[in-house]
Structures are given as structure tokens and as C-alpha cells.
Amino acid sequence: MLNNRYDIISNLNKSHYAITYLAYDKEKNLKVIIKELIFKELPDWKAVEMFEREANILKQLNHQNIPKFIDYFTIESENQARFYLVQNYFEGINIKQAVKSKERLTESKALENLKKLLKILDYIHSINPPVIHRDIKPENIIIQENEDLALVDFGSVKAMEKGDMTIVGTYGYMPL
């Protein structure tokens, strides 16, 4: 139980300094995603900056196919601090999982999915200042049970302001 509110269901992903959980929010009565940042394991301060940026950007966004900000809190103990970001969960599978399951898309279905993704990108790019996702890849696009798409993992997101230049993304999915 985290913050007397969130029951952890499972561990979805783990890196050296972060863990992503599927959890149940007792207050809102729904499944959520919780991202945990372990302060003492961080290689540098940039990770904290990006974690806080993701929370702040999600607070500003309001789109049915983008995670909604639910909560942000810190739990401190004697020798460490952990930061938590809570956002809504989208039921479904990501495109990488769909491809691995050998699910074949018709050309018309692939074009329909691309149009759905472009509508999400149009929304985040139309905000002032524009929001750039910077890590669009099959793992970050969820095919929901109703066949709608959701764009997730805004950990590399950036509100584009004049003069900003930080390179972030996944090699193979970002431009050179």
C-alpha cells in the first residue's frame, strides 16, 4: 500500500533507478500506473528534472487518449527519498505486443491507427508552448479494448521553448 491509497497489483517495468507499477486507487476506484523514482540510485539530477516535467506536463493535458495526472507524492525514510507519479491506466496491449502476437493489420487498419495517433500528436503540438513527446515507439502506443489508441510514457516529454536542445528518445525510433 502506497500513501494509504494505492494497492500495488504488479511490477510492470524496472530500471536501475525507477519502477513502474500497475496499482489500484482505492479513492477513485480504478486501476492506475505508478512511476517510482528512487532518489539514491539516480545517476544525475536530470532524471528528477524529467520526472517532475512529466508530472507538470500531464497536469496540463486533457485528452482521452493521453494519461491523466492523478497524484504526485514523495515518501522519505532515514536514508532515501522516493518520488511517485500516478496516472490513469489504459487497458489493452501495446503495438510491440500486438506485432509479437503475429496480429496482422490490413493496410486500411494501419492507416486508421496512424490517423488516430496523428490526432493525439496534433493535440499535444497545438498547446502553447507545444508539447513534444520525444519517445514515440511501439511500446508507448496502447491499442485499447475499444480499438482506440493511447499514447503513454511522457517521461521524455518537453514543452518546446526557444533555444531548448536536449536529445532524448529511443534509438531506432528517433531521427538522427
Side-chain angles (χ1 to χ4, degrees), residues 1-2 5-10 22-26 32 34:
M1 177 77 67
L2 287 174
R5 178 175 170 179
Y6 305 104
D7 280 326
I8 303 298
I9 297 170
S10 65
L22 175 61
Y24 182 76
D25 181 346
K26 293 186 336 180
V32 295
I34 300 177

Side-chain angles (χ1 to χ4, degrees), residues 133-149:
H133 188 280
R134 300 196 303 181
D135 198 19
I136 296 174
K137 59 185 178 182
E139 294 96 314
N140 291 340
I141 303 168
I142 305 295
I143 303 169
Q144 299 177 71
E145 292 176 343
N146 64 3
E147 295 194 20
D148 212 354
L149 297 184

Side-chain angles (χ1 to χ4, degrees), residues 31-166:
K31 287 182 184 176
V32 295
I33 295 294
I34 300 177
K35 293 184 176 185
E36 174 185 39
L37 192 64
I38 305 165
F39 189 75
K40 78 174 192 175
E41 304 291 331
L42 295 176
D44 56 37
W45 195 253
K46 189 73 174 172
V48 174
E49 181 186 320
M50 290 177 70
F51 195 76
E52 289 176 342
R53 181 185 305 147
E54 178 179 11
N56 289 328
I57 294 287
L58 288 178
K59 283 180 191 177
Q60 297 173 32
L61 300 178
N62 184 20
H63 192 282
Q64 70 272 11
N65 304 105
I66 293 173
K68 292 185 183 356
F69 173 90
I70 294 174
D71 198 4
Y72 184 88
F73 58 94
T74 304
I75 297 178
E76 295 183 35
S77 63
E78 271 183 38
N79 58 357
Q80 72 178 354
R82 294 172 184 249
F83 301 97
Y84 297 89
L85 170 60
V86 184
Q87 53 194 267
N88 72 302
Y89 171 70
F90 290 103
E91 287 282 347
I93 62 170
N94 66 46
I95 289 181
K96 183 177 181 179
Q97 292 166 325
V99 169
K100 279 187 174 181
S101 72
K102 307 222 184 319
E103 184 178 315
R104 304 295 280 174
L105 287 180
T106 63
E107 181 180 345
S108 63
K109 186 65 177 172
L111 286 171
E112 181 184 326
N113 283 343
L114 184 57
K115 287 177 186 176
K116 289 176 184 178
L117 182 59
L118 289 172
K119 284 181 183 180
I120 299 168
L121 294 174
D122 183 51
Y123 167 75
I124 65 173
H125 295 169
S126 69
I127 293 170
N128 190 8
V131 172
I132 308 299
H133 188 280
R134 300 196 303 181
D135 198 19
I136 296 174
K137 59 185 178 182
E139 294 96 314
N140 291 340
I141 303 168
I142 305 295
I143 303 169
Q144 299 177 71
E145 292 176 343
N146 64 3
E147 295 194 20
D148 212 354
L149 297 184
L151 181 60
V152 299
D153 194 358
F154 280 67
S156 300
V157 74
K158 182 73 173 167
M160 290 307 294
E161 296 166 6
K162 209 171 199 175
D164 281 339
M165 269 309 278
T166 301

